[in-house]
Amino acid sequence: MSRVLVPCHVKGTVALQVGDVRTSQGRPGVLVIDVTFPSVAPFELQEITFKNYYTAFLSIRVRQHTSAHTPAKWVTCLRDYCLMPDPHSEEGAQEYVSLFKHQSPSVTFPKWLSHPVPCEQPALLREGLPDPSRVSSEVQQMWALTEMIRASHTSTRIGRFDVDGCYDLNLLSYT
Amino acid sequence: MLQEESDLSLIIAQIVQKLKGSNLYSQLERQAWASLQRPEIKLESLKEDIKEFFKISGWEKKLQNAVYSELSVFPLPSHPAAPPEHLKEPLVYMRKAQGSWEKRILKSLNSMCTELSIPLARKRPAGEQKELLNKWNEMGTDEPDLSLFRPVYAPKDFLEVLINLRNPNYENGDSLSFRTHLGLIQVPLKVKDIPELKECFVELGLNIGQLGIDDSTQVPPELFENEHVRIGQKVLAEQDSAAAQQYIRQGSPTALRAELWALILNISSQPEDVLYYEQLKTNVIQHDLLVDSLIYKDVKLTASNDDYYFVFEDYLYQVLLCFSRDTSVLSHFAFNSASPPKSYIRGKLGLEEYAVFYPPNGVIPFHGFSMYVAPLCFLYHEPSKLYQIFREMYVRFFFRLHSISSHPSGIVSLCLLFETLLQTYLPQLFYHLREIGAQPLRISFKWMVRAFSGYLATDQLLLLWDRILGYNSLEILAVLAAAVFAFRAVNLMEVTSLAAAEAVLADLSTLKVMPLLQIFLFATVT
C-alpha cells in the first residue's frame, strides 16, 4: 500500500468572533485553519498528522467533489475531538496527533491513534466491509516495522567511556 | 482494532529488543538448549514442551518479571512523527528551561576546573592506583583537602529555577489576578486532588491494614501483621514482581524488605553483575574524576554528619564513585528531560570520534545526592547488590527529583501538587504562611528533592519508600509534605516569620509517616 504525502498549503489562522476584530478585548476561543491542496488530482485522504499547540478541541470539515455535475459540498469529518482533557492544564498541549480514516468504531485508543467518527457519517468512507487486500497489507506493514526493530542491533552497552584508553578531557561543551 | 494490534506489537517489539541484549536472554537460550536433554522434551512438540519446561522451572516467571520491569520503566511508544526530544519531555518550554539550567551547571563545573587548575579527568599513576586499591574498603578514613571544592548546586538554587518557569502560552501577567497561582510554581500542570489521590492510593485507606500503623505494639499481631508477613513470604517464594509491587503498598516487613525491593526492581545478583561492578571499581582505580571530589565533599557534608548514616560512609564512596563511571546509566536519558554533559578528548575539540560524556554516566551530583544511597545501606551489605539497587532506584525514580519536566512524578509536578493540596485543604494556613513571607514550598522543597532521606527516622523512611515502589510514583512525597504541614498547622499558625516556620518544621525525626498520610488522605474533613 503506497501512502504519499500530499502537498498542501496551510493558511494562517483566522479567529472566529462576533463583532469588530479591532475593538473587541476578549480573545477568541475558536480559530480556523484553511488547508488547500493546490494542484493535485483527486485523492483519498488516509491520515492527517500534526503537532498540537494548546488546542483543546478539533473539528474538521472537508469540501469534497462528488461528481462533475453537483457542486462541491462541505462535510464534517470530525466534531469536537478532544485533544486536551483539561484545557487549563498542560495535558496533551504539545502532543503529536494522527487522525485516520477508519470504519470500525472502537472503545478506547491512545491519544494519537485513530478516532472513530461520531454522529455524522462522513461521506468519505466507503460502503461495506474493508478491502481485504488493504487490511492485509496494513498488517504486513506493521510486521515489517516490528521485524526491523527486532533486527536492529541490541542495546547492550559495552561499558567503555574512554577513547582508546584515553579520557584526558578539555572542558565541558555547551552545545 | 488494527491500530490497537499495531500499537501492542510495537510495544512488544521494543521490549523484545531491550531484553535481547540482557543476561536473561542468554540464560534462557542456554536453558532451552540444555532442556533438549530432558526426556519430556519431544521433537514433534518441541516448542510447546520447552515452553512448558520454562513454566515449571520458573524461567517463565523470570521473563514475566523482566517484561513487567520494562513496562514499569519505559514510557509507552510515542507517535511516529515525534522526535526523540519529545519522549524526553513533550513541552518545549520545559526542555528549554532544562537546557539553560544544565548550561549553568556546566559553566559552574568548568569554572571550578579552571580556577582550581584541576582536570576533569586524570589517569592515576600506578603508585596511586595501588594505594587506592588497598584503601578501597576504608576510603572514609581519607581526609583530602576539599575546602576549595564547592557543590555544583544546592536544592535551593534549583528551586529558584523552578519558580521562574513560565509557559509562554499561558497569560500570567505581572499583576496578581485570579489566574495567578498563589504558590511559587506558576506552570499549569495537571495534578491530582484528594478524591483522585484517594482512588490512586486506595490501599492506604482506613479499613486496610498497614505496616507503620497496624503493627504498632498496641495492636495484637494476629489482627494483621502475622498474616501480612505470611503473604509476603509467599510472594517471595513465587518470585513474582507484579505481586510484590501490589503487596508492598501495605508496607514491607523489615525482614523481607531487601528481597522484596530486589524483586520489584528485578535485581538478581548474577555473577555477571558482580563482574560488572568489579569492572566499574577498576575504572575508579584507573581514572580520577573531578566529580569524585564533589562526591567526597557531599558525603562528608551530609551523610557523615547524620546519626543514622555515618557508619555507612565507606559504602557510599564505593557506590557513588562506581556510579559515575557506569555508562549503562546513559540509556535512561532517553526518557529523562536532562541530557548528559559532553566533552572532547584534549586537543580533539569538535571531532565527533573523540566526543565523550562526562562523567561517564552523565549525572553530575549535587549537594545531598549521597542521601539517595544512604538508606539503602540498611538493607544491602554486599557492595555490588547495593550498587545495583541504587542504580535501578535512580533510573526509575530519583532522576525525576532534580530535572525539569512535566512528568507527574517530576519535581515540578510534585511541588505544584504540594502547593495545591495545601492551598485547597488548609487555605487558612496557606494564606497565613504566605502573608508572613514563608511560602510553604520554600520549606518542603528540600524534603521532596531528597525523598525525605535524612529528615525522617530510617524506619519511617523505608516505609515511605515501600510505597514509592508499590505505586511506582513519587506523588506520595508531595502528599506527605502536605500532611506534615497539616500535622503542625496549629504551631505554624502562631509563627510570624519564615525562620520561625522553619524552626517548627526543622525536626521530622519523630514523625510517623503512615498515620499522617492516612489521616490527610482519608480522615480530613474537606
Side-chain angles (χ1 to χ4, degrees):
Chain A
M1 175 179 72
S2 59
R3 284 148 62 101
V4 177
L5 273 177
V6 180
C8 60
H9 177 59
V10 179
K11 294 192 181 154
T13 55
V14 174
L16 286 188
Q17 53 186 113
V18 178
D20 189 353
V21 175
R22 275 179 294 275
T23 57
S24 66
Q25 299 227 310
R27 309 267 285 273
V30 183
L31 300 171
V32 178
I33 301 175
D34 274 323
V35 179
T36 55
F37 303 96
S39 51
V40 176
F43 64 94
E44 220 177 272
L45 189 62
Q46 301 282 342
E47 178 185 345
I48 301 174
T49 304
F50 59 92
K51 182 175 192 286
N52 190 17
Y53 193 75
Y54 297 97
T55 297
F57 299 98
L58 180 68
S59 299
I60 299 181
R61 306 197 82 214
V62 171
R63 187 170 73 169
Q64 59 166 154
H65 301 268
T66 39
S67 69
H69 305 287
T70 54
K73 53 183 183 74
W74 284 98
V75 174
T76 304
C77 296
L78 206 60
R79 178 173 296 166
D80 289 341
Y81 174 57
C82 179
L83 296 173
M84 289 171 67
D86 175 8
H88 298 293
S89 78
E90 298 275 9
E91 263 185 300
Q94 298 190 22
E95 283 306 315
Y96 287 82
V97 184
S98 268
L99 300 166
F100 294 89
K101 183 184 105 166
H102 239 285
Q103 276 198 258
S104 45
S106 191
V107 188
T108 42
F109 290 116
K111 178 118 314 162
W112 60 273
L113 292 182
S114 73
H115 173 75
V117 180
C119 33
E120 266 193 51
Q121 239 342 290
L124 285 174
L125 300 182
R126 290 165 189 247
E127 301 289 324
L129 295 167
D131 173 32
S133 58
R134 219 193 71 211
V135 168
S136 69
S137 70
E138 270 182 276
V139 175
Q140 269 171 26
Q141 212 185 28
M142 273 331 294
W143 276 113
L145 176 64
T146 59
E147 285 305 313
M148 213 169 67
I149 292 178
R150 216 174 284 153
S152 64
H153 70 88
T154 61
S155 56
T156 23
R157 306 219 73 97
I158 303 166
R160 299 196 51 194
F161 56 81
D162 52 323
V163 178
D164 295 330
C166 177
Y167 196 59
D168 187 26
L169 304 177
N170 242 332
L171 295 175
L172 299 168
S173 320
Y174 298 135
T175 45
Chain B
M1 295 315 133
L2 222 55
Q3 292 303 324
E4 266 178 8
E5 279 164 17
S6 71
D7 193 43
L8 189 60
S9 61
L10 200 57
I11 296 176
I12 293 172
Q14 275 186 353
I15 293 181
V16 166
Q17 188 203 7
K18 278 217 82 191
L19 291 179
K20 257 193 169 169
S22 69
N23 286 335
L24 181 64
Y25 183 78
S26 26
Q27 281 174 326
L28 283 170
E29 246 188 342
R30 276 202 296 271
Q31 287 294 320
W33 278 110
S35 74
L36 294 176
Q37 312 285 335
R38 303 175 77 90
E40 65 265 23
I41 309 289
K42 310 257 188 305
L43 195 58
E44 316 84 68
S45 50
L46 190 65
K47 194 170 170 186
E48 292 311 314
D49 289 346
I50 293 187
K51 271 170 136 179
E52 189 59 32
F53 165 67
F54 276 166
K55 198 177 285 187
I56 300 172
S57 57
W59 282 100
E60 191 194 48
K61 181 85 336 142
K62 289 197 171 69
L63 180 60
Q64 267 180 344
N65 289 345
V67 172
Y68 188 69
S69 179
E70 290 299 324
L71 284 173
S72 300
V73 175
F74 227 79
L76 290 174
S78 51
H79 191 278
E85 310 87 77
H86 191 83
L87 190 64
K88 287 162 75 75
E89 170 52 50
L91 302 180
V92 175
Y93 73 89
M94 289 243 176
R95 285 207 299 264
K96 286 205 170 115
Q98 174 64 27
S100 310
W101 170 238
E102 274 169 20
K103 206 162 168 176
R104 266 176 65 180
I105 297 175
L106 298 189
K107 284 198 167 140
S108 173
L109 204 54
N110 275 346
S111 56
M112 199 186 299
C113 212
T114 44
E115 276 168 36
L116 303 178
S117 302
I118 295 177
L120 285 176
R122 172 184 71 93
K123 188 144 186 159
R124 286 187 224 268
E128 195 185 320
Q129 287 191 27
K130 196 152 176 274
E131 206 189 312
L132 183 56
L133 191 55
N134 290 337
K135 261 196 338 209
W136 181 256
N137 289 322
E138 23 163 75
M139 284 184 274
T141 53
D142 225 5
E143 294 284 343
D145 179 16
L146 300 167
S147 52
L148 296 170
F149 291 99
R150 46 181 198 278
V152 182
Y153 66 95
K156 61 174 161 46
D157 306 313
F158 188 47
L159 178 59
E160 289 307 316
V161 175
L162 300 187
I163 291 172
N164 289 314
L165 267 179
R166 293 288 182 277
N167 175 345
N169 198 54
Y170 189 74
E171 193 184 73
N172 246 340
D174 288 320
S175 53
L176 283 183
S177 73
F178 66 87
R179 271 173 281 176
T180 329
H181 291 210
L182 290 174
L184 293 174
I185 303 296
Q186 296 293 323
V187 290
L189 295 172
K190 179 100 176 82
V191 292
K192 297 185 170 82
D193 54 16
I194 287 196
E196 285 167 319
L197 288 168
K198 273 161 115 157
E199 242 182 76
C200 177
F201 294 115
V202 68
E203 291 86 353
L204 301 184
L206 293 166
N207 54 345
I208 298 179
Q210 298 294 328
L211 287 183
I213 301 176
D214 302 291
D215 55 334
S216 71
T217 42
Q218 298 98 336
V219 181
E222 306 85 61
L223 279 182
F224 166 71
E225 200 181 346
N226 287 348
E227 180 63 13
H228 191 65
V229 172
R230 204 186 59 79
I231 297 177
Q233 285 160 339
K234 193 154 184 288
V235 166
L236 280 174
E238 291 292 308
Q239 282 293 293
D240 187 328
S241 287
Q245 190 167 327
Q246 180 62 39
Y247 168 79
I248 213 174
R249 291 177 180 189
Q250 292 169 265
S252 167
T254 314
L256 306 180
R257 184 175 275 124
E259 282 183 72
L260 276 170
W261 282 22
L263 180 56
I264 294 171
L265 297 170
N266 203 34
I267 306 278
S268 60
S269 252
Q270 302 291 319
E272 298 91 16
D273 303 311
V274 180
L275 270 173
Y276 190 79
Y277 175 76
E278 291 297 317
Q279 177 65 45
L280 294 175
K281 180 175 160 185
T282 312
N283 292 342
V284 176
I285 305 285
Q286 284 177 347
H287 285 100
D288 177 31
L289 303 180
L290 179 61
V291 291
D292 292 350
S293 304
L294 298 176
I295 290 169
Y296 267 105
K297 183 123 191 177
D298 185 45
V299 173
K300 292 279 183 211
L301 284 178
T302 55
S304 301
N305 284 331
D306 190 302
D307 291 336
Y308 294 113
Y309 302 124
F310 72 92
V311 290
F312 299 124
E313 190 182 337
D314 297 322
Y315 280 115
L316 297 176
Y317 298 125
Q318 289 172 23
V319 167
L320 289 166
L321 294 178
C322 289
F323 182 62
S324 295
R325 278 114 174 123
D326 193 345
T327 51
S328 71
V329 175
L330 292 172
S331 57
H332 93 286
F333 284 107
F335 48 87
N336 182 353
S337 61
S339 297
K342 205 167 138 185
S343 181
Y344 295 89
I345 299 292
R346 205 181 286 277
K348 310 282 185 194
L349 189 65
L351 296 173
E352 284 317 303
E353 330 68 281
Y354 294 94
V356 289
F357 291 120
Y358 182 86
N361 73 343
V363 180
I364 296 186
F366 56 91
H367 179 66
F369 193 85
S370 55
M371 295 306 282
Y372 290 142
V373 189
L376 303 173
C377 298
F378 275 104
L379 301 173
Y380 305 98
H381 307 297
E382 205 271 295
S384 74
K385 186 108 189 241
L386 172 63
Y387 176 76
Q388 276 185 283
I389 297 277
F390 165 66
R391 179 180 60 185
E392 191 61 28
M393 290 286 281
Y394 182 82
V395 301
R396 276 201 203 200
F397 303 112
F398 297 145
F399 77 88
R400 299 199 189 278
L401 295 172
H402 65 95
S403 50
I404 304 175
S405 89
S406 59
H407 194 273
S409 272
I411 188 68
V412 187
S413 300
L414 297 185
C415 289
L416 188 58
L417 175 58
F418 163 75
E419 289 189 316
T420 312
L421 284 175
L422 214 58
Q423 196 182 330
T424 314
Y425 299 102
L426 295 155
Q428 212 178 0
L429 175 64
F430 192 89
Y431 182 76
H432 170 71
L433 290 173
R434 242 184 117 241
E435 286 296 289
I436 62 168
Q439 277 274 9
L441 185 59
R442 288 203 187 276
I443 303 173
S444 65
F445 185 71
K446 53 188 183 293
W447 302 338
M448 292 190 286
V449 164
R450 280 206 203 162
F452 281 88
S453 174
Y455 297 105
L456 296 173
T458 336
D459 62 321
Q460 296 301 311
L461 184 77
L462 293 172
L463 286 167
L464 178 66
W465 285 16
D466 281 343
R467 274 70 180 192
I468 292 180
L469 284 165
Y471 292 101
N472 201 29
S473 153
L474 292 165
E475 286 160 305
I476 198 119
L477 297 177
V479 181
L480 179 59
V484 171
F485 271 72
F487 184 59
R488 300 239 168 117
V490 173
N491 293 13
L492 286 169
M493 284 303 289
E494 288 172 10
V495 300
T496 51
S497 70
L498 172 60
E502 301 246 26
V504 169
L505 294 164
D507 183 7
L508 307 184
S509 59
T510 51
L511 293 183
K512 302 273 177 255
V513 306
M514 296 320 299
L516 284 183
L517 284 166
Q518 210 177 52
I519 292 172
F520 187 78
L521 285 174
F522 296 95
T524 304
V525 178
T526 51

